[in-house]
Amino acid sequence: AHTEMPPENYPLAYRDIPSDMVVPAFWQASYPGSGADMNGALISALTGLGFEYVSDLERLAHLNDPGDRTLSVKTHYPRLLTFPPEDFNPHEFMDSLVLVLRHPMSAIPSFLNFEYERDNDITSHSTRAPLDVWMLWRDENFEDELQAWVDHTTFWLDQYLFPGFGGDRFISVYEGVTDDIDGPKHAQQLAEFLGSIDEHIQPATDPDAVACIWYKFIKAGHVATHRHGSTYRPLRQEHIDAMVDALLGLRARYEAREDAWEILPILDLYLDMAEDKRNEEPPADELE
């Protein structure tokens, strides 16, 4: 399914590219519910190039054909096994990665909302699962989905090892990109990374332009989700304990690596958020 945005949605000029130009497509990987469409729209707005969800190997094989406008390729692999694991090597298709991360205590409920809409024939991104549905699903699935979130994160971090400007990996943190104060700074860092991938990408990098694009696409409702229903998603203490253990496990896995400078601050933020979650609300048991 091609989800490239139409020209009228770009704040920059829609880029007509030469028929012989090769757009250096890259992965945009995320656990479902992490804000992939929002992040992809931001990348398209910064570059004037395409954003596409790809779920088959044949399309992957033609992404870098001359004249193909797709730059950012959305995937939820390996949480969703859209590609056969025995045949799938991400480096075979693309040299760079934008990994979209969102705290599992937010991403997992958002994934449930998607499943609830799909299973009940409800318009996508319109309705949150009711609280009682969340609590039942949580008790049956939370720890499995937490492990899937960990597996997704480690799969991509272990594939692309060189973060930052001039490297092959950028982590786009949902909580940073959507922050009212720091959001433009995160968008600026993303734009500068995009510009370092290849000379053909040519993103907007002027800070004022990037800030305007960020505001239009992240804060002014152009790609924001407007789901109805309560956002409250209580967790049992055992679920919070499991999140803390998972995040500490990731921290131990990566703290000795040369790319630790990028991932460790994110994990530390997520650990603090997990403890805030523990302290800010009554245990889920008291709500039942």
Side-chain angles (χ1 to χ4, degrees), residues 7-285:
E8 61 268 21
N9 285 343
Y10 289 103
L12 305 180
Y14 183 83
R15 287 181 61 186
D16 289 320
I17 65 172
S19 60
D20 60 348
M21 176 177 161
V22 175
V23 173
F26 58 81
W27 294 110
Q28 183 194 270
S30 63
Y31 173 91
S34 298
D37 288 346
M38 176 192 71
N39 202 81
L42 178 60
I43 290 172
S44 286
L46 289 167
T47 63
L49 296 170
F51 166 56
E52 182 177 352
Y53 175 66
V54 176
S55 59
D56 64 88
L57 293 174
E58 182 178 355
R59 173 63 182 128
L60 284 181
H62 293 284
L63 278 169
N64 293 311
D65 287 354
D68 192 304
R69 298 188 66 262
T70 295
L71 175 66
S72 180
V73 178
K74 171 183 169 182
T75 182
H76 296 312
Y77 185 95
R79 173 55 186 86
L80 303 182
L81 293 175
T82 46
F83 311 117
E86 64 275 10
D87 296 332
F88 182 62
N89 174 4
H91 286 277
E92 180 182 346
F93 302 101
M94 280 165 271
D95 295 330
S96 302
L97 164 71
V98 172
L99 176 62
V100 183
L101 278 189
R102 188 180 189 184
H103 200 295
M105 70 180 181
S106 301
I108 292 173
S110 184
F111 180 39
L112 169 63
N113 293 336
F114 164 76
E115 291 197 319
Y116 179 79
E117 292 166 338
R118 181 197 60 196
D119 293 346
N120 291 279
D121 294 323
I122 298 172
T123 302
S124 179
H125 293 89
S126 69
T127 306
R128 295 184 181 92
L131 183 58
D132 60 331
V133 173
W134 158 249
M135 294 172 78
L136 178 62
W137 185 91
R138 171 204 67 192
D139 288 348
E140 294 179 350
N141 297 280
F142 187 85
E143 293 194 16
D144 287 343
E145 286 303 326
L146 177 61
Q147 186 59 54
W149 183 91
V150 169
D151 291 344
H152 182 279
T153 302
T154 57
F155 175 84
W156 290 101
L157 288 179
D158 292 348
Q159 292 288 333
Y160 294 85
L161 305 177
F162 305 103
F165 187 88
D168 64 3
R169 185 184 85 206
F170 181 87
I171 299 179
S172 184
V173 182
Y174 178 93
E175 292 80 8
V177 172
T178 58
D179 186 79
D180 288 343
I181 303 300
D182 291 334
K185 178 182 73 175
H186 285 262
Q188 183 74 37
Q189 292 169 347
L190 172 61
E192 291 174 0
F193 171 77
L194 297 174
S196 75
I197 293 176
D198 187 277
E199 62 182 4
H200 290 121
I201 296 179
Q202 300 175 358
T205 54
D206 176 78
D208 289 338
V210 171
C212 287
I213 292 168
W214 171 85
Y215 182 82
K216 180 176 182 179
F217 279 81
I218 305 301
K219 284 298 171 184
H222 281 250
V223 293
T225 292
H226 299 290
R227 281 190 168 111
H228 301 289
S230 173
T231 61
Y232 182 44
R233 291 296 181 254
L235 295 172
R236 297 182 186 275
Q237 292 300 309
E238 64 202 60
H239 298 137
I240 297 175
D241 291 341
M243 275 197 304
V244 169
D245 288 345
L247 292 167
L248 287 173
L250 285 172
R251 203 182 192 292
R253 181 186 182 111
Y254 293 110
E255 63 184 354
R257 281 193 2 185
E258 291 185 2
D259 58 348
W261 63 267
E262 182 189 39
I263 187 61
L264 291 193
I266 300 168
L267 296 175
D268 288 342
L269 169 67
Y270 284 4
L271 283 163
D272 289 343
M273 291 173 65
E275 293 302 333
D276 289 344
K277 177 73 171 176
R278 188 195 303 279
N279 296 326
E280 73 186 11
E281 64 182 15
D285 311 65

